[in-house]
Amino acid sequence: MAVRRDPLDELVVPDGTEAKEVALETDGDVLVGARSSIEFGVRGRNVLAGESVEFAGEIEADGDCRLDMWCDVAKNVLVGQDAYIGERVHIGGKLKVAGDLDIGDDVDIEEGFEANGWIVIRNPMPTIVFLFVYLKHLLLIGEEDTAQRLISELVDEEDGEPETEPLVIPRNATVGDDAWRVSTPATIGDDCRLHGNVRAETIDVGDDCNVFGSLRARGAVDVGDGTRIHGDLTTRDGDVVVGEDARILGDVSCNDLELGPGAEIDGTIRADGEITMGTTERERE
């Protein structure tokens, strides 16, 4: 994961992420900014959440799980390694930890907890707050190499193995079956399957995705090759690029519109500027 700024300044959905009926699933880590609402369960490698994050479903972490103070999880929290639970966290189901448990004061676990390792009751440091304040400080003073090493340790990169980009949900976001609402840019990787309307500053959707909802942004919207958007695509002040063989099953409203070869728009096009259409190799011949 390359670090050039605050990692929580953008919604990042890595390749292959799926929003299923009850859970948001990814192969890598999950980082959630403070005061966000996740209307799914979450399944990933390591799961880290800032203060006052709400989860409407179950958390399953193959590695570590860190929940800062005042988080609320509606169902179980299942952890494959160690867990760090801040003070005044509420868990509506069970907490099961395969490793060590570091737990704060006034934690409410409705169905009890189990830990196979050490159990320490204290007030753990709010790790998300500390981590990103420290990262921001390193970037401000130009220590990009140090910041990169820190984030590499966080996501457990190993020499010679490809990096798995984490799923990053910025502060004050709402993510659910109805809508993904953020006030930051949004980047969605390749081969993703998401349910819900996406609302962001700008939106970049990768190749071969299925988004069952509309896209709305203030700025530019890019849709990758072979992607299907099952809804309208609207930008207030930006341009739209629709990749080769992509399909928009709704209306498009924008400034300039660029359509790749084989791209289809099923609804009405409203473009204040230019509309350009790419040609296939056969058409050029």
Side-chain angles (χ1 to χ4, degrees):
M1 178 181 180
V3 177
R4 293 294 180 270
R5 53 183 171 74
D6 187 338
L8 292 178
D9 278 347
E10 182 177 5
L11 171 66
V12 178
V13 181
D15 297 349
T17 299
E18 292 191 55
K20 297 187 177 179
E21 185 176 349
V22 297
L24 186 59
E25 298 186 4
T26 184
D27 292 333
D29 297 338
V30 179
L31 309 180
V32 184
R35 297 174 298 281
S36 290
S37 177
I38 313 301
E39 297 171 3
F40 297 103
V42 172
R43 296 172 185 165
R45 186 169 57 180
N46 300 309
V47 177
L48 297 89
E51 295 181 7
S52 303
V53 175
E54 296 181 0
F55 296 89
E58 186 171 87
I59 294 177
E60 293 186 36
D62 294 334
D64 294 346
C65 179
R66 299 171 182 257
L67 303 177
D68 280 347
M69 59 186 68
W70 298 304
C71 283
D72 192 313
V73 183
K75 298 183 179 180
N76 299 327
V77 177
L78 310 176
V79 185
Q81 296 182 15
D82 300 333
Y84 306 81
I85 309 298
E87 61 183 352
R88 297 182 176 86
V89 168
H90 170 259
I91 297 174
K94 296 180 180 179
L95 171 63
K96 292 187 177 182
V97 183
D100 299 336
L101 172 62
D102 200 342
I103 190 168
D105 293 331
D106 298 322
V107 173
D108 180 16
I109 305 171
E110 293 190 10
E111 298 183 19
F113 66 88
E114 302 173 13
N116 291 333
W118 292 97
I119 300 175
V120 179
I121 300 176
R122 57 176 178 173
N123 291 329
M125 180 180 295
T127 53
I128 287 284
V129 173
F130 171 78
L131 173 64
F132 291 111
V133 167
Y134 183 43
L135 278 174
K136 184 174 288 187
H137 173 70
L138 291 174
L139 296 176
L140 286 173
I141 63 175
E143 292 289 341
E144 291 188 357
D145 290 343
T146 303
Q148 183 64 62
R149 286 196 298 272
L150 177 62
I151 200 68
S152 297
E153 291 175 3
L154 168 68
V155 298
D156 289 337
E157 293 174 15
E158 297 182 16
D159 293 338
E161 293 191 2
E163 175 186 344
T164 301
E165 189 172 23
L167 169 64
V168 180
I169 298 173
R171 303 173 186 86
N172 302 304
T174 299
V175 173
D177 227 7
D178 177 59
W180 297 52
R181 294 188 179 92
V182 299
S183 57
T184 67
T187 300
I188 299 170
D190 300 336
D191 300 306
C192 293
R193 183 181 178 90
L194 306 181
H195 290 262
N197 304 310
V198 180
R199 306 288 184 258
E201 185 69 25
T202 60
I203 302 173
D204 187 345
V205 183
D207 298 340
D208 300 314
C209 294
N210 262 301
V211 179
F212 294 90
S214 61
L215 305 182
R216 182 181 298 172
R218 291 180 180 271
V221 178
D222 289 353
V223 176
D225 297 345
T227 285
R228 299 291 183 267
I229 307 298
H230 299 257
D232 297 336
L233 193 163
T234 305
T235 172
R236 182 181 300 178
D237 301 312
D239 301 332
V240 168
V241 177
V242 180
E244 183 174 352
D245 294 324
R247 186 175 181 183
I248 311 300
L249 287 82
D251 300 337
V252 173
S253 179
C254 61
N255 290 334
D256 294 342
L257 172 62
E258 180 181 336
L259 297 174
E264 298 180 23
I265 295 176
D266 288 4
T268 301
I269 297 175
R270 301 180 183 89
D272 295 333
E274 297 181 347
I275 299 177
T276 58
M277 302 183 66
T279 57
T280 64
E281 185 175 344
R282 178 177 298 179
E283 289 170 337
R284 286 193 294 270
E285 292 175 352

